[in-house]
Amino acid sequence: MNRTVSVTPFPDQKPGTSGLRKKVPVFQTPGYTEAFIQSIFDSLDGFEGESLVIGGDGRFYNREVIQTAIRMAAANGFGRVLVGQGGILSTPAASHLIRKKEAFGGLILSASHNPGGPTEDFGIKYNIANGGPAPEKITEAIHARSQVIDQYKIADFGEVDLDQIGVSEAGGMTIEVVDPVADYAELMETLFDFDAIRALLKDGFNIAFDAMHAVTGPYASEILVQRLGADRASVFNATPLEDFGGHHPDPNLVHAKALYDLMMGPGAPDFGAASDGDGDRNLIIGKGIFVTPSDSLALLAANAHLAPGYKDGLKGIARSMPTSGAADRVAAKLGVEMHETPTGWKFFGNLLDAGRCTICGEESAGTGSDHVREKDGLWAVLLWLNILAVRRQSVAEIVQEHWAEYGRTYYSRHDYEAIETDTAHALMQALEEKLDRLPGLETGSLTIEKADSFTYHDPIDQSVSHNQGLRIFFEGGSRLVFRLSGTGTSGATLRIYMERYEPDPAHLGEETQDALRPLIDAAEALADIRKRTGREAPSVIT
Ligand code: G16
C-alpha cells in the first residue's frame, strides 16, 4: 500500500558542487530525507516503470536511507530498483551500472571525502541516464521543488534484505540486489592490459593502496589482489567502516599522511595510491615523489595510448578551471581539443556524451574518462599501473621526463576550512569588486595582466554558468584562483589555487611552496586573508 505524507519545505535543500551534503542529524530530521528524494522525483519526467540504481559509500545512515529510497521509488512508480549488495556502490560503479542496465537514473548516497558517523556528513546525489551527475538545470529544478513541496509518497513494505544478492518483488516493483564489484571489475579488464600489469607485479614491483576504510576496499581487493596478483598486504584499510575509522576518507597529503610517509621513507614501495569515501578520487605517489592531480591528468593523457582502451588516441581533454594548465600543453602537442569547465564533474558530461573529450580531470584529485560519467579513483590507479607496466620506468623517471618535455607547472591549493560564511563571502566580494582595477598592478615581483570572474559557456547545450571563481593572471603565465567550496557542511571553505609554469630545465626541481612563494604572498596582499579570516595559515595545503 502507498501512503502520501504531508511535509513542509526545508529551506536549505540546495544541492552544492555534488549533490546535497549535510550533517547526519539534519538528514535525520523527520521528513527531511523524504522531502529531498521526493523533490528529485518530482523534477523528473517519464520514469514510470523504469529502473533506478541506488547505492552508497557505506557511511553511517546509508542503509536507512536506502530502505526509504526503495519504498519511495516504488510509491512513485519506478518499475525496478538495482541496489548494490550491502547498500554499497562506489560512485564510478554506480555510474557504470546506470549505463550498463540502461537505467533511468540513480541515487548515489555519499558525502565523498567528508567524514562519516552519527554527527558527521551524509549526502544524496541524483545521476541521470548517461551515468553522470545531474546537470545544473535539474539540480536547480530539484532545489526549486524542495522549496514548495508539501507531500511525499512512500510504499508500506518491510525491510528489504540488502545483503542477499537476488531478485524480489515488493510494492509492485522489482528489487534486484546486485554484486557491487563484478560489473565494474569486468569493465576495467576491457580498458587495461591486465596481463602486463600482472607481469609487472610478478617481477617484484611493489604497490601500496590505501582504501581509507571506505568503499574502494572491496573493489581494490578484487581487482588488485584477486585479478592482478598483488600481495594481500598491499591493500590496506580495505574494510569499509561506517565512520571510516574516525578519519576523513580524503586522499590528500593531510588525511593520507601514513601513505605519504611510507612512500617517502626508506624501503618505500614503487607505487602508492589511495581513493576516497565513494571511490571517485585518487592520490598517486611514487617512491619519493608526490604527483599532483593536475600533473597526473597531464601524464595520463600523454600516455593513455599505452593502454588498450585508449590505443586509438584521445578525442580531447577537459579539465576544471582551477586545475593547472599542464594538460593543455599535452592537448596542444597531441593536436586535440582542450576544454576548461567549472568545478564539478557534472560539467564534463555534455562534452563526453558529444565525443568532444576522452579524458577529464580536476585538481581535487579526480580523473576519469568516457568509460563512465564520474571520476574514477581505481581507473586512475590502473591506468598508471598499465603505463608503468609498459614503460618499465619508475614514477619519478616518468614524471621527470614529462617535465623535461613539457615544462613543469608548479601547483598548490591552500584551503581555509570552516571559516564563517559571512567572512568568506565578504572576502570574495571585496576581491571581486576590485578585479577591474587589478590589471597593471604590481604585487611583489609579479605584475597582474588580467583578472575576471570565470563564466562557462557550455559548447553543447549553450547553457551559461556564472561566478565560477575569481581568476588573476600574471605576466609570465602564473595564475591565482579564489573560490568557495561547494561541498563543505560547516561554514565556508575558501580555496586558493596557485600555479606557475616553469619551462627552464635548470629550475624543475624546486620545492613547490618555495617555487610558489611570490604567488602565496600576492594572494595575501590582494585578499587580506589573515586579517579577514583571523587564520595565520591554511588548514590544508595540497
Ligand atoms: C566534488 C565534485 C568535483 C569537485 C570537488 C570539489 O567531488 O564532483 O568536481 O572538484 O567536489 O569541489 P569543491 O571545490 O566545490 O569543494 P567529490 O569527490 O566531493 O564528489
Coordinates of all heavy atoms in Angstrom, one line a residue, residues 7 10 13 15 20 27 31-44 47 52-54 61-76 78 81 106-109 122-126 142-143 145-146 149 151-154:
V7 N 4.3 17.2 4.3 CA 5.7 17.7 4.7 C 5.7 19.2 4.5 O 5.1 19.7 3.5 CB 6.8 16.9 4.0 CG1 6.9 17.2 2.6 CG2 8.1 17.1 4.7
F10 N 11.9 22.4 3.5 CA 13.1 22.7 4.3 C 13.9 23.8 3.5 O 14.2 23.5 2.3 CB 14.0 21.5 4.5 CG 13.3 20.5 5.4 CD1 12.5 19.5 4.8 CD2 13.4 20.5 6.8 CE1 11.8 18.6 5.6 CE2 12.7 19.6 7.6 CZ 11.9 18.6 7.0
Q13 N 17.7 23.0 1.2 CA 17.9 21.8 0.3 C 18.5 22.2 -1.1 O 18.0 21.7 -2.1 CB 16.7 20.9 0.2 CG 16.3 20.4 1.6 CD 15.4 19.2 1.6 OE1 14.5 19.1 0.7 NE2 15.5 18.3 2.6
P15 N 21.3 21.7 -3.7 CA 22.5 20.9 -4.0 C 23.7 21.8 -4.2 O 23.6 22.9 -4.8 CB 22.0 20.2 -5.3 CG 20.5 20.2 -5.3 CD 20.2 21.5 -4.6
L20 N 23.4 17.1 -2.4 CA 23.1 17.8 -1.1 C 23.9 17.1 -0.1 O 23.9 15.9 0.1 CB 21.6 17.6 -0.8 CG 21.1 18.3 0.4 CD1 21.1 19.8 0.2 CD2 19.7 17.8 0.8
F27 N 19.8 15.2 8.1 CA 19.1 14.2 7.3 C 18.1 13.4 8.1 O 17.1 12.9 7.6 CB 20.1 13.3 6.5 CG 20.6 13.8 5.2 CD1 21.9 14.4 5.1 CD2 19.8 13.9 4.1 CE1 22.3 14.9 3.9 CE2 20.2 14.4 2.9 CZ 21.5 14.9 2.8
G31 N 11.2 13.8 8.0 CA 10.7 14.3 6.7 C 11.8 14.9 5.8 O 11.5 15.1 4.6
Y32 N 12.9 15.1 6.4 CA 14.0 15.9 5.6 C 14.5 15.1 4.4 O 14.5 15.6 3.3 CB 15.2 16.2 6.5 CG 16.2 17.1 5.9 CD1 16.1 18.5 6.1 CD2 17.2 16.7 5.1 CE1 17.0 19.4 5.5 CE2 18.1 17.5 4.5 CZ 18.0 18.9 4.7 OH 18.9 19.8 4.2
T33 N 14.9 13.8 4.7 CA 15.4 13.0 3.6 C 14.3 12.7 2.6 O 14.5 12.8 1.3 CB 15.9 11.6 4.2 OG1 17.0 12.0 5.1 CG2 16.4 10.7 3.1
E34 N 13.1 12.4 3.1 CA 12.0 12.1 2.2 C 11.6 13.3 1.3 O 11.4 13.1 0.1 CB 10.7 11.7 3.0 CG 10.9 10.4 3.7 CD 11.6 10.5 5.1 OE1 12.2 11.5 5.4 OE2 11.5 9.5 5.9
A35 N 11.6 14.5 1.9 CA 11.3 15.7 1.1 C 12.3 15.9 0.0 O 11.9 16.3 -1.1 CB 11.3 16.9 2.0
F36 N 13.6 15.6 0.2 CA 14.6 15.8 -0.8 C 14.4 14.8 -1.9 O 14.5 15.1 -3.1 CB 16.0 15.8 -0.2 CG 17.0 16.3 -1.2 CD1 17.0 17.5 -1.8 CD2 18.0 15.3 -1.7 CE1 18.0 17.9 -2.7 CE2 18.9 15.7 -2.7 CZ 18.9 17.0 -3.2
I37 N 14.2 13.5 -1.5 CA 14.1 12.5 -2.5 C 12.8 12.7 -3.4 O 12.9 12.6 -4.6 CB 14.1 11.1 -1.9 CG1 15.4 10.8 -1.2 CG2 13.7 10.0 -2.9 CD1 15.5 9.5 -0.5
Q38 N 11.8 13.2 -2.7 CA 10.5 13.4 -3.4 C 10.8 14.6 -4.4 O 10.3 14.6 -5.5 CB 9.4 13.7 -2.5 CG 8.0 13.8 -3.2 CD 7.6 12.5 -3.8 OE1 7.6 11.5 -3.2 NE2 7.3 12.5 -5.1
S39 N 11.5 15.6 -3.9 CA 11.8 16.8 -4.8 C 12.6 16.3 -6.1 O 12.4 16.8 -7.1 CB 12.7 17.8 -4.1 OG 11.9 18.3 -3.0
I40 N 13.5 15.3 -5.9 CA 14.2 14.8 -7.0 C 13.2 14.1 -8.0 O 13.1 14.5 -9.2 CB 15.3 13.7 -6.6 CG1 16.4 14.4 -5.8 CG2 15.9 13.0 -7.8 CD1 17.4 13.4 -5.2
F41 N 12.4 13.2 -7.5 CA 11.4 12.5 -8.3 C 10.5 13.5 -9.0 O 10.1 13.3 -10.2 CB 10.6 11.5 -7.5 CG 11.5 10.3 -7.0 CD1 11.0 9.5 -5.9 CD2 12.7 10.0 -7.6 CE1 11.8 8.4 -5.5 CE2 13.5 8.9 -7.1 CZ 13.0 8.2 -6.1
D42 N 10.0 14.5 -8.3 CA 9.1 15.5 -8.8 C 9.7 16.3 -10.0 O 9.0 16.9 -10.7 CB 8.6 16.4 -7.7 CG 7.6 15.7 -6.8 OD1 7.2 14.6 -7.1 OD2 7.2 16.4 -5.8
S43 N 11.0 16.3 -10.0 CA 11.7 17.1 -11.0 C 12.0 16.3 -12.3 O 12.6 16.8 -13.2 CB 13.0 17.7 -10.5 OG 12.8 18.3 -9.2
L44 N 11.7 15.0 -12.3 CA 12.0 14.2 -13.4 C 10.7 13.8 -14.1 O 9.6 13.7 -13.5 CB 12.7 12.9 -12.9 CG 13.9 13.1 -12.0 CD1 14.3 11.7 -11.4 CD2 15.0 13.7 -12.7
F47 N 9.6 8.4 -15.7 CA 10.3 7.2 -15.2 C 9.3 6.1 -14.8 O 9.8 5.1 -14.3 CB 11.1 7.6 -14.0 CG 10.3 8.3 -12.9 CD1 9.5 7.6 -12.1 CD2 10.5 9.7 -12.7 CE1 8.8 8.2 -11.1 CE2 9.8 10.3 -11.7 CZ 8.9 9.6 -10.9
L52 N 15.8 2.3 -11.5 CA 16.6 3.3 -10.7 C 17.7 2.5 -10.0 O 17.5 1.5 -9.4 CB 15.7 4.0 -9.7 CG 16.3 5.0 -8.8 CD1 16.6 6.3 -9.6 CD2 15.4 5.4 -7.6
V53 N 18.9 3.0 -10.1 CA 20.1 2.4 -9.4 C 20.2 3.1 -8.1 O 20.1 4.4 -8.0 CB 21.4 2.6 -10.2 CG1 22.6 2.3 -9.4 CG2 21.3 1.7 -11.5
I54 N 20.4 2.4 -7.0 CA 20.6 3.0 -5.7 C 21.8 2.4 -5.0 O 21.9 1.2 -4.9 CB 19.3 2.8 -4.8 CG1 18.0 3.3 -5.4 CG2 19.5 3.6 -3.4 CD1 16.8 3.1 -4.6
Y61 N 24.2 5.8 8.2 CA 22.9 6.2 7.7 C 22.6 5.8 6.3 O 21.5 6.0 5.8 CB 22.7 7.7 7.8 CG 21.3 8.1 8.1 CD1 20.5 7.4 9.0 CD2 20.7 9.2 7.4 CE1 19.2 7.8 9.2 CE2 19.4 9.6 7.7 CZ 18.6 8.8 8.6 OH 17.3 9.2 8.8
N62 N 23.6 5.1 5.6 CA 23.5 4.7 4.3 C 22.3 3.7 4.2 O 21.4 3.8 3.3 CB 24.8 4.0 3.8 CG 24.8 3.7 2.3 OD1 24.5 4.5 1.5 ND2 25.3 2.5 2.0
R63 N 22.3 2.7 5.0 CA 21.3 1.6 4.9 C 19.9 2.1 5.2 O 18.9 1.8 4.5 CB 21.6 0.5 5.9 CG 22.7 -0.4 5.5 CD 23.0 -1.4 6.5 NE 24.1 -2.4 6.1 CZ 23.8 -3.6 5.5 NH1 22.6 -4.0 5.4 NH2 24.8 -4.3 5.1
E64 N 19.7 3.0 6.1 CA 18.4 3.6 6.4 C 17.8 4.3 5.2 O 16.7 4.2 4.9 CB 18.5 4.5 7.7 CG 18.7 3.8 9.0 CD 20.2 3.5 9.3 OE1 21.0 3.6 8.3 OE2 20.5 3.2 10.4
V65 N 18.7 5.2 4.7 CA 18.2 6.0 3.5 C 17.9 5.1 2.3 O 17.0 5.3 1.6 CB 19.2 7.1 3.2 CG1 18.8 7.9 1.9 CG2 19.4 8.1 4.4
I66 N 18.7 4.0 2.2 CA 18.4 3.1 1.0 C 17.0 2.5 1.2 O 16.3 2.4 0.2 CB 19.5 2.1 0.9 CG1 20.8 2.8 0.3 CG2 19.1 0.9 0.0 CD1 21.9 1.9 0.0
Q67 N 16.7 2.1 2.4 CA 15.4 1.5 2.6 C 14.3 2.5 2.3 O 13.3 2.2 1.6 CB 15.2 1.0 4.1 CG 16.2 -0.1 4.5 CD 15.8 -1.5 3.9 OE1 14.8 -1.7 3.3 NE2 16.8 -2.4 4.0
T68 N 14.5 3.7 2.7 CA 13.5 4.8 2.4 C 13.4 5.0 0.9 O 12.3 5.1 0.4 CB 13.9 6.1 3.1 OG1 14.0 5.8 4.5 CG2 12.9 7.2 2.9
A69 N 14.5 5.1 0.3 CA 14.6 5.4 -1.2 C 13.9 4.3 -1.9 O 13.2 4.6 -2.9 CB 16.0 5.6 -1.6
I70 N 14.1 3.1 -1.5 CA 13.4 1.9 -2.3 C 11.9 2.1 -2.1 O 11.2 2.0 -3.1 CB 13.9 0.6 -1.7 CG1 15.4 0.4 -2.0 CG2 13.1 -0.6 -2.3 CD1 16.0 -0.9 -1.4
R71 N 11.4 2.3 -0.9 CA 10.0 2.4 -0.7 C 9.4 3.6 -1.4 O 8.3 3.6 -2.0 CB 9.7 2.4 0.8 CG 10.0 1.1 1.5 CD 9.2 0.8 2.7 NE 9.2 1.9 3.7 CZ 10.1 2.1 4.6 NH1 11.1 1.2 4.7 NH2 10.1 3.1 5.4
M72 N 10.2 4.7 -1.5 CA 9.7 5.9 -2.2 C 9.7 5.6 -3.7 O 8.8 6.1 -4.5 CB 10.5 7.1 -1.9 CG 10.2 7.6 -0.4 SD 11.0 9.1 0.0 CE 10.2 10.3 -1.1
A73 N 10.7 4.9 -4.2 CA 10.8 4.6 -5.7 C 9.6 3.8 -6.1 O 8.9 4.1 -7.1 CB 12.1 3.9 -6.0
A74 N 9.2 2.8 -5.2 CA 8.0 2.0 -5.5 C 6.7 2.9 -5.6 O 5.9 2.8 -6.5 CB 7.9 0.9 -4.5
A75 N 6.6 3.7 -4.6 CA 5.4 4.5 -4.5 C 5.3 5.5 -5.6 O 4.2 5.9 -6.1 CB 5.3 5.2 -3.1
N76 N 6.4 5.9 -6.1 CA 6.4 6.9 -7.2 C 6.3 6.3 -8.6 O 6.3 7.0 -9.6 CB 7.7 7.8 -7.1 CG 7.5 8.9 -6.1 OD1 7.0 10.0 -6.4 ND2 7.9 8.7 -4.8
F78 N 8.5 3.7 -10.1 CA 9.6 3.0 -10.8 C 9.2 1.6 -10.9 O 8.5 1.0 -10.0 CB 10.9 3.2 -10.0 CG 11.6 4.5 -10.2 CD1 11.4 5.6 -9.4 CD2 12.4 4.7 -11.4 CE1 12.0 6.8 -9.6 CE2 13.0 5.9 -11.6 CZ 12.8 7.0 -10.8
V81 N 14.3 -1.4 -9.0 CA 15.5 -0.7 -8.5 C 16.6 -1.7 -8.5 O 16.4 -2.9 -8.2 CB 15.3 -0.2 -7.0 CG1 14.4 1.1 -7.0 CG2 14.8 -1.2 -6.1
G106 N 20.0 7.3 -11.2 CA 20.4 6.7 -9.9 C 20.5 7.7 -8.8 O 20.7 8.9 -9.0
L107 N 20.4 7.1 -7.6 CA 20.6 7.9 -6.4 C 21.9 7.4 -5.8 O 22.0 6.2 -5.5 CB 19.4 7.6 -5.4 CG 18.1 8.2 -5.7 CD1 17.0 7.8 -4.7 CD2 18.1 9.8 -5.8
I108 N 22.8 8.3 -5.6 CA 24.1 8.0 -5.0 C 24.2 8.6 -3.7 O 24.1 9.8 -3.5 CB 25.3 8.4 -5.9 CG1 25.1 7.7 -7.3 CG2 26.6 8.0 -5.3 CD1 26.3 8.0 -8.3
L109 N 24.3 7.8 -2.6 CA 24.3 8.3 -1.3 C 25.8 8.4 -0.8 O 26.4 7.4 -0.5 CB 23.5 7.3 -0.4 CG 22.1 7.0 -1.0 CD1 21.4 6.0 -0.1 CD2 21.3 8.2 -1.2
F122 N 26.6 13.3 5.5 CA 25.9 12.4 4.6 C 25.5 13.2 3.4 O 25.6 14.5 3.4 CB 24.6 11.9 5.3 CG 24.0 10.8 4.6 CD1 24.5 9.5 4.7 CD2 22.9 10.9 3.8 CE1 24.0 8.4 4.0 CE2 22.3 9.9 3.1 CZ 22.9 8.6 3.2
G123 N 25.2 12.5 2.3 CA 24.8 13.3 1.1 C 24.0 12.4 0.2 O 24.0 11.2 0.2
I124 N 23.2 13.1 -0.7 CA 22.4 12.4 -1.7 C 22.6 13.2 -3.0 O 22.5 14.4 -3.1 CB 20.9 12.5 -1.3 CG1 20.6 11.8 0.1 CG2 20.0 11.8 -2.4 CD1 19.2 11.8 0.5
K125 N 22.8 12.4 -4.0 CA 23.1 13.0 -5.3 C 22.2 12.2 -6.4 O 22.1 11.0 -6.3 CB 24.5 12.8 -5.6 CG 25.0 13.3 -7.0 CD 26.5 13.4 -7.1 CE 27.1 12.1 -7.5 NZ 28.5 12.3 -8.0
Y126 N 21.7 12.9 -7.3 CA 21.0 12.2 -8.4 C 21.8 12.2 -9.7 O 22.4 13.3 -10.1 CB 19.6 12.9 -8.7 CG 18.9 12.2 -9.8 CD1 18.3 11.0 -9.6 CD2 18.8 12.8 -11.1 CE1 17.7 10.3 -10.7 CE2 18.1 12.2 -12.1 CZ 17.6 10.9 -11.9 OH 17.0 10.2 -12.9
I142 N 15.3 20.7 -8.8 CA 15.2 20.0 -7.5 C 15.1 21.0 -6.4 O 14.2 20.9 -5.5 CB 16.4 19.0 -7.3 CG1 16.3 17.9 -8.4 CG2 16.3 18.4 -5.9 CD1 17.6 17.0 -8.4
H143 N 16.0 22.0 -6.4 CA 16.0 23.0 -5.3 C 14.7 23.7 -5.3 O 14.0 23.9 -4.3 CB 17.2 23.9 -5.5 CG 17.2 25.0 -4.5 ND1 17.4 26.3 -4.8 CD2 17.0 24.9 -3.1 CE1 17.3 27.0 -3.7 NE2 17.1 26.2 -2.7
R145 N 11.8 22.8 -6.4 CA 10.7 22.0 -6.0 C 10.8 21.8 -4.4 O 9.7 21.8 -3.8 CB 10.8 20.6 -6.7 CG 9.8 19.6 -6.3 CD 8.4 20.0 -6.8 NE 7.4 19.2 -6.1 CZ 6.2 19.6 -5.8 NH1 5.8 20.8 -6.2 NH2 5.3 18.8 -5.2
S146 N 12.0 21.7 -3.9 CA 12.1 21.5 -2.5 C 11.6 22.6 -1.7 O 11.2 22.5 -0.5 CB 13.6 21.2 -2.1 OG 14.3 22.4 -2.1
I149 N 7.5 22.0 -1.8 CA 7.0 20.6 -1.6 C 6.0 20.5 -0.4 O 6.3 21.1 0.6 CB 8.1 19.6 -1.5 CG1 7.6 18.2 -1.8 CG2 8.9 19.7 -0.2 CD1 8.7 17.2 -2.2
Q151 N 4.2 17.2 0.1 CA 3.9 15.8 0.4 C 5.0 14.9 -0.2 O 5.6 15.3 -1.2 CB 2.5 15.4 0.0 CG 2.3 15.7 -1.5 CD 0.9 15.2 -1.9 OE1 -0.1 15.5 -1.2 NE2 0.8 14.5 -3.0
Y152 N 5.1 13.7 0.3 CA 5.9 12.7 -0.4 C 5.1 11.4 -0.4 O 4.2 11.2 0.5 CB 7.3 12.6 0.3 CG 7.3 12.1 1.7 CD1 7.3 10.7 2.0 CD2 7.4 13.0 2.8 CE1 7.3 10.2 3.3 CE2 7.4 12.5 4.1 CZ 7.4 11.2 4.3 OH 7.4 10.7 5.6
K153 N 5.6 10.5 -1.3 CA 4.9 9.2 -1.4 C 5.8 8.1 -1.0 O 7.0 8.1 -1.4 CB 4.5 9.0 -2.9 CG 3.3 9.9 -3.4 CD 3.0 9.5 -4.8 CE 2.9 10.8 -5.6 NZ 3.1 10.6 -7.0
I154 N 5.3 7.2 -0.2 CA 6.1 6.1 0.2 C 5.2 4.8 0.3 O 4.1 4.9 0.7 CB 6.8 6.4 1.6 CG1 7.8 5.4 2.0 CG2 5.7 6.6 2.7 CD1 8.9 5.9 3.0

